[in-house]
Amino acid sequence: MFQKKYYYWLFVLPSLLLISIIILIPFLIGIYYSFTNSNGITASWIGLKNYFLLFSDANFLQSCWLTFLFSLLSVAGINVIALSFALLVTRQDNRFTKFLRTIFFIPNLIGGILLGFIWQFIFIQVFGALGSQLHLSFFSGWLSTPESGLWGLVILFWWQMSGYIMLIYVAFLNAIPRSTIESAKLDGANEGQIFWWIKLPQLAPAFTISLFLTLANSFKLYEQNLALTNGGPYRSTEMIAMNIYNTAFVNYQQGYAQAAGILLFIFVALISFGQLYFSRKGEHQNES
Amino acid sequence: MKAKVVKNITWIISILLALIWLYPFVIVFINSLKTKSDLFSNPLMLSRPTFGNYTEAFRSLNYVQSFFNSVLITVTSVLLITLLASMTAYALARTHGKISSIIYYLCAATMLIPFQSIMIPLISIFGRIDFLNRISLILMNTGLALSLSIILYYGAFLGVPTSIDEAAMIDGANTVKAFFSVILPSVSPMTGTVVILNAMKIWNDYLLPSLVINKDGMYTIPLRMYFFFGENNSNWQLALAGLVLAIIPIIILFILLQKQIMQSATEGAIK
């Protein structure tokens, strides 16, 4: 098909050009930016100063810590909920369980901005009304403290992602042959034993995929953050992505923000290499 | 007996969980039908429905225009992505040279780069040449989506036997014609996945359009919704009606393409 070089480049070049213009060149320029004090108009070389400043910038460190906490709570919660859902909807294969899958998946269809607004209403108005009617202070003042703001964001993300991650677990659970489970039942294994000895080992790759997918998405979270709390109160719920945005497009410290962007890239790349390492390791264990 | 009890309990738990999961939509919808005073007196209760919020939200959202902009940007971007990604993936899958493998790994590597790590230079370059509009937004959507789409297509083309290529070429068709008339149709399930994954992402995107589009008449639904919500933060009944209007198109699409959408989501994650 591609004996003629002409056709090969006809097929490859447009994509290559676009990827270069939209991703590669900006990325390389971005590395350069991160060594300058660019404000969007003028820029001069300042070496590693941005990076040193970042490590003593209370706002940036706070947003890193917050992103870390958020990722931890998200990964744990989402995987527990998603696996429970997956077990629930694969117990039987009928219209009801298919319907359940659909219901659990729906939040994943909605964009981050809309999700953030839905939950802003729930946390402020619905929780507020619950608090005053039930006289429970637990429900009052959500999103107005740093802790409740973070938890609000975590709950939103659980709701959004669990149904999606559930599908991954379902795919792997369905790949377990029915006969394996049936014969275990005949041998007298109970539900718990079947889960622990048969299903769980088969889910190892699903777990790796879900873990890193949730992690990477948590690190890049921006729109939900913007629509739910907009970083408030007092920048206390501002995660890394929003910190970069505000530094670059509100304060116009673009070189500085770009250095944070490069650090974000390093975090995400490390997470992805972690995934590669663990999934390769898993494959080798299965072979032996 | 015991089995039946277990079955009933799981059934009840399932129903409860489903209700909890749907509750946010339900409460938003209920309150979008209230008057301002009904909503503020008690958001938990039902009250006599009014559709006034919807007509007002529809008008101030410029709904028809925003919807059209969203459709235009999503459809054009997805067409371009599908076209370019399938062609490139096919060329890479059929020529196992050094250049092909370099390009393949380049695609894999660019997938590691988060948008926040390139957005500042990207916007500044395009701003400097005064090229921030719907066309550049479409090009950016495409550039950002190509790598994943190429890798997805690549896997699909490896599964197409080369005998199909040869058969298509015997009829005297050239490479381009053979590709579009025979080879691309043979991987249409993957085309479905690529289209759905990208369409959902682009339709819902807020950050990139917010950086690129600065003219009122070009706003997409998420962008318009963001400003609308800000303007109405003391008029929850209006904000919620707008929210429902913004959610409706994607829910309708989901009802029509439920199975494909859920399958694509799984494939996009696992492959």
Side-chain angles (χ1 to χ4, degrees), chain A residues 53-65 235 243 256:
Chain A
L53 282 175
L54 277 175
F55 286 107
S56 53
D57 176 341
N59 272 326
F60 179 72
L61 294 178
Q62 153 88 3
S63 58
C64 286
W65 169 240
R235 300 187 81 169
N243 181 283
Y256 188 54

Side-chain angles (χ1 to χ4, degrees), chain B residues 96-148:
Chain B
H96 300 281
K98 214 177 201 167
I99 299 173
S100 289
S101 62
I102 290 175
I103 295 172
Y104 182 84
Y105 282 110
L106 194 76
C107 289
T110 54
M111 279 172 56
L112 294 177
I113 303 176
F115 177 68
Q116 282 86 2
S117 310
I118 54 167
M119 69 178 174
I120 301 166
L122 180 69
I123 297 305
S124 118
I125 298 167
F126 278 78
R128 212 160 281 186
I129 56 172
D130 207 17
F131 187 41
L132 287 173
N133 51 33
R134 281 179 291 192
I135 296 173
S136 60
L137 178 60
I138 289 164
L139 292 178
M140 288 180 199
N141 279 333
T142 309
L144 291 168
L146 276 175
S147 296
L148 175 65

Side-chain angles (χ1 to χ4, degrees), chain A residues 88-89 96 100 104, chain B residues 9-19:
Chain A
L88 203 60
V89 301
F96 179 62
L100 279 179
F104 293 145
Chain B
I9 291 174
T10 25
W11 196 79
I12 292 168
I13 293 175
S14 307
I15 295 278
L16 272 177
L17 284 172
L19 288 177

Side-chain angles (χ1 to χ4, degrees), chain A residues 272-285:
Chain A
S272 308
F273 283 123
Q275 173 173 18
L276 208 63
Y277 175 76
F278 279 109
S279 50
R280 288 268 161 84
K281 204 171 149 191
E283 278 164 25
H284 288 307
Q285 273 172 353

Side-chain angles (χ1 to χ4, degrees), chain A residues 8 11 15 33 109 223 258 261, chain B residues 21 88 100 117 124 204 206-207:
Chain A
Y8 181 79
F11 275 50
S15 299
Y33 270 17
L109 299 164
E223 296 176 359
Q258 186 56 38
Chain B
W21 232 243
T88 306
S100 289
S117 310
S124 118
N204 284 329
Y206 166 82
L207 178 54

Side-chain angles (χ1 to χ4, degrees), chain A residues 44-197:
Chain A
S44 53
W45 182 268
I46 55 168
L48 283 168
K49 200 173 159 202
N50 285 329
Y51 290 93
F52 287 123
L53 282 175
L54 277 175
F55 286 107
S56 53
D57 176 341
N59 272 326
F60 179 72
L61 294 178
Q62 153 88 3
S63 58
C64 286
W65 169 240
L66 206 69
T67 308
F68 173 74
L69 262 183
F70 174 82
S71 309
L72 210 68
L73 294 169
S74 300
V75 166
I78 289 168
N79 280 285
V80 168
I81 299 170
L83 182 56
S84 316
F85 280 179
L87 291 170
L88 203 60
V89 301
T90 49
R91 281 176 58 89
Q92 278 160 340
D93 194 24
N94 54 32
R95 280 169 100 174
F96 179 62
T97 54
K98 287 217 172 75
F99 174 69
L100 279 179
R101 277 177 221 185
T102 313
I103 300 287
F104 293 145
F105 182 73
I106 287 179
N108 199 255
L109 299 164
I110 317 286
I113 286 288
L114 305 180
L115 288 173
F117 288 150
I118 292 175
W119 283 90
Q120 205 192 99
F121 174 68
I122 292 173
F123 286 130
I124 295 178
Q125 294 297 323
V126 178
F127 272 40
L130 275 175
S132 61
Q133 281 170 30
L134 304 172
H135 303 287
L136 286 175
S137 58
F138 171 78
F139 286 110
S140 317
W142 275 65
L143 308 186
S144 60
T145 66
E147 292 76 29
S148 61
L150 174 66
W151 275 105
L153 211 52
V154 169
I155 291 170
L156 180 160
F157 207 47
W158 286 354
W159 187 65
Q160 178 189 2
M161 289 284 289
S162 295
Y164 174 40
I165 302 296
M166 168 196 75
L167 291 181
I168 298 168
Y169 284 118
V170 167
F172 280 84
L173 280 171
N174 282 342
I176 303 172
R178 283 255 159 231
S179 57
T180 316
I181 293 170
E182 292 304 322
S183 60
K185 269 188 194 154
L186 287 179
D187 291 340
N190 62 32
E191 293 262 343
Q193 286 168 324
I194 291 176
F195 173 70
W196 190 256
W197 296 108

